[in-house]
Amino acid sequence: MSKNYSRRDFIKSSAMSTAAASVLMTAGRVHANENNTLKVGLIGCGGRGRGALANTLEADPNTELVAVGDAFRENAEAAVEGLAEQFANRVKVTPDRIFDGIECYKQVVPLCDVVLLCETPGFRPRSLRFAVESGKHVFCEKPVAADAAGIRSVMESAEIARKNGTSLVSGLCRRYHPDTVEMVNRVKDGEIGNVVSGRLLYLTSQPWKRARREGDTEMKYQVRNWYNYAWLSGDFNVEQHVHTLDKALWVMNNVVPDAVFGLGGRMQRIQQPANGDIYDSMATCFEYNSGIAFYSYCRQQNNCWSKVEAIISGSEGTAELMAGVIRDYNGNVVYQQEKGPYDMYLIEHQKMYEAIRGGNVINNGDYMAKATMMGIAARMTCYTGARLSWADALASEESMAPTGYTWDDSPWSLPDDKGRYLISVPGEGRVYHQIIRD
Ligand SMILES: NC(=O)c1ccc[n+]([C@@H]2O[C@H](COP(=O)([O-])OP(=O)(O)OC[C@H]3O[C@@H](n4cnc5c(N)ncnc54)[C@H](O)[C@@H]3O)[C@@H](O)[C@H]2O)c1
């Protein structure tokens, strides 16, 4: 993608490719040329899900929303209502096509050609598998799993999509941002010499917590408050930091590190029920046998320095991928990017429909699985204190699965009679080690 990529260019290239396409279709693939209306379904109707849906409807005028599903019916209904005015004649969801529950994907997917997976990450391997096995095109938000078993499943699903010839587009949106693409290409083109190391930062304040509601089972409460449970979000270094970890993977041409070690804990997230079981700070080193290393720091603590950046160090200089700056080792700025007016969230959907209609399948399965696994491996080393090879981390049989997928099943993490959750303590396992303040 060039720096000059614009919406006008996109529409032009899209029109050319769709006009040329008399769309080859095989079993399991959705028929699509520029005149076909593609039926879209949304699973996970929260903030990002509603955003992704608006992106989809804006990206391709021949799409319509036919079904939605969310763990909680009110969220699904709100998504439909929220978009009905803007896209009135293309939001065609009757009440019987609004589904709820943890496994609502089973009802949504069969009704659609394109599925947007925007639910809680821990559930995504199951909905993704069902969608690709059903031959659907998928937009799949990041991260794609919460544990290694989930990653292995996602890798298999990516292969199924590849064989089906269906698109699998990742919500790792920076891969679709022309400014970031350009900076990564400059690094790959050798503008900082050979890549030697990197500093990967996601230093922010604490995000949301959601309160327990009257009548919530433990499962229902945790799904409501999902960010704060490792089995659902992967922990914050997976849920949030995956964007920055992916930039290291990207400059390394999607070659994964050989080993990982790290340290972390929670200091502001003290033991209170809404804080769940996740950490609030992690520092991890991703090591390559070649000697290349990436140093990763992520933190969600209030009143601290905040910064989100990937600084890649090469033999001749450094590149700040987000700021768009390249420096030599005398401190001189040798390149300063002019930022474009791009909407990466829209572009990823434009690209998806361009591919579907042009018969050029996109499959982002490889990097979305590897980037998520970097976060999971980092969490594993920080939780346990062990240094892990990539192969061992990926082969891990540690299961974070619940006992089942109904509101009455038990989540991976259960509170004791004082409402305390087990917290991972390096070298000690999962223990109730913190006192409850107040
Ligand atoms: N690419 C990005 O920049 C970006 C930005 C924000 C969020 N995200 C990702 O999008 C996803 C959703 O995040 P969000 O901010 O919208 O959170 P959110 O809490 O606003 O929405 C998540 C929704 O999923 C629902 N849900 C939970 N389990 C479900 C299940 N089994 N089936 C169906 N629905 C279920 C929840 O009830 C909720 O409505 C996360 O994976 C997050 O990491 C990506």
Side-chain angles (χ1 to χ4, degrees):
M1 203 185 294
S2 79
K3 175 78 174 74
N4 298 325
Y5 182 88
S6 68
R7 183 167 158 70
R8 193 181 303 151
D9 294 335
F10 168 78
I11 291 167
K12 212 164 85 191
S13 75
S14 175
M16 275 161 55
S17 54
T18 49
S22 59
V23 186
L24 299 166
M25 284 289 115
T26 54
R29 262 173 80 176
V30 178
H31 286 259
N33 61 33
E34 71 270 33
N35 298 319
N36 286 125
T37 299
L38 290 167
K39 294 181 190 152
V40 177
L42 171 65
I43 293 156
C45 303
R48 182 77 271 271
R50 294 177 210 185
L53 187 52
N55 296 143
T56 255
L57 294 172
E58 187 180 345
D60 188 300
N62 267 338
T63 50
E64 57 186 36
L65 179 69
V66 299
V68 295
D70 193 280
F72 302 103
R73 190 172 176 89
E74 64 266 28
N75 294 355
E77 287 172 343
V80 175
E81 277 164 29
L83 284 166
E85 197 176 321
Q86 193 184 352
F87 298 99
N89 55 347
R90 292 164 61 207
V91 174
K92 298 190 171 167
V93 185
T94 47
D96 60 324
R97 290 184 167 210
I98 299 177
F99 302 100
D100 60 72
I102 300 173
E103 301 228 280
C104 58
Y105 66 84
K106 290 181 180 167
Q107 292 147 301
V108 174
V109 167
L111 301 170
C112 312
D113 305 316
V114 181
V115 185
L116 314 179
L117 299 182
C118 301
E119 77 281 61
T120 296
F123 296 126
R124 198 156 296 126
R126 290 168 67 80
S127 57
L128 175 61
R129 174 59 65 96
F130 190 76
V132 295
E133 284 184 344
S134 306
K136 312 299 181 179
H137 300 285
V138 177
F139 170 74
C140 184
E141 259 308 341
K142 47 55 61 173
V144 296
D147 58 15
I151 293 294
R152 296 194 295 273
S153 168
V154 167
M155 291 163 92
E156 289 168 10
S157 295
E159 193 51 37
I160 294 168
R162 198 169 289 117
K163 284 187 183 141
N164 276 351
T166 48
S167 278
L168 174 54
V169 172
S170 164
L172 284 165
C173 41
R174 282 279 154 188
R175 295 256 188 172
Y176 287 92
H177 194 303
D179 287 343
T180 321
V181 171
E182 187 209 304
M183 287 304 294
V184 170
N185 284 344
R186 285 177 180 274
V187 170
K188 289 188 184 184
D189 289 346
E191 291 195 22
I192 58 169
N194 296 326
V195 171
V196 175
S197 66
R199 279 162 282 167
L200 311 173
L201 312 180
Y202 221 119
L203 307 171
T204 64
S205 52
Q206 288 190 33
W208 54 265
K209 290 166 211 171
R210 292 176 184 147
R212 190 183 287 270
R213 292 195 194 168
E214 179 98 26
D216 275 356
T217 61
E218 185 59 29
M219 180 70 122
K220 205 169 211 177
Y221 172 58
Q222 291 195 18
V223 172
R224 198 183 295 291
N225 190 33
W226 64 267
Y227 201 103
N228 300 287
Y229 297 91
W231 75 276
L232 287 166
S233 67
D235 206 322
F236 82 99
N237 79 314
V238 178
E239 195 283 334
Q240 185 175 62
H241 193 39
V242 64
H243 280 298
T244 306
L245 299 178
D246 183 50
K247 294 187 189 82
L249 184 69
W250 193 2
V251 298
M252 293 301 287
N253 294 313
N254 301 330
V255 176
V256 295
D258 296 295
V260 54
F261 71 88
L263 47 110
R266 45 190 249 162
M267 286 148 274
Q268 285 195 357
R269 278 197 174 107
I270 55 167
Q271 181 66 281
Q272 286 174 338
N275 282 336
D277 58 12
I278 63 173
Y279 278 13
D280 61 19
S281 48
M282 296 193 211
T284 311
C285 180
F286 294 93
E287 302 175 300
Y288 287 80
N289 289 343
S290 61
I292 293 171
F294 287 90
Y295 306 95
S296 148
Y297 305 89
C298 57
R299 176 173 66 194
Q300 287 185 339
Q301 292 174 346
N302 298 334
N303 308 316
C304 300
W305 181 58
S306 291
K307 179 100 174 161
V308 178
E309 185 55 280
I311 306 166
I312 311 299
S313 298
S315 51
E316 292 165 26
T318 59
E320 291 157 49
L321 301 184
M322 301 291 278
V325 176
I326 295 180
R327 295 174 209 274
D328 65 20
Y329 281 118
N330 294 317
N332 301 314
V333 172
V334 295
Y335 178 71
Q336 170 70 68
Q337 184 176 54
E338 260 180 58
K339 296 286 180 188
Y342 305 116
D343 180 348
M344 59 188 173
Y345 297 107
L346 180 60
I347 292 173
E348 60 194 2
H349 287 257
Q350 290 171 327
K351 288 286 175 190
M352 177 167 73
Y353 290 103
E354 185 180 27
I356 294 172
R357 297 196 182 279
N360 305 311
V361 170
I362 293 177
N363 190 313
N364 300 150
D366 180 63
Y367 71 70
M368 71 186 199
K370 288 173 174 172
T372 304
M373 189 61 215
M374 285 176 76
I376 291 169
R379 182 195 70 220
M380 289 166 74
T381 181
C382 291
Y383 276 14
T384 61
R387 179 175 180 271
L388 296 167
S389 72
W390 180 266
D392 284 349
L394 183 58
S396 168
E397 289 300 331
E398 178 195 42
S399 171
M400 299 173 95
T403 56
Y405 293 90
T406 71
W407 292 131
D408 292 323
D409 276 297
S410 293
W412 176 73
S413 189
L414 282 173
D416 69 1
D417 55 6
K418 296 187 181 117
R420 301 177 306 176
Y421 291 95
L422 288 162
I423 311 299
S424 295
V425 177
E428 291 185 24
R430 295 175 69 221
V431 296
Y432 299 108
H433 79 299
Q434 287 170 305
I435 53 159
I436 299 181
R437 274 191 216 161
D438 304 322

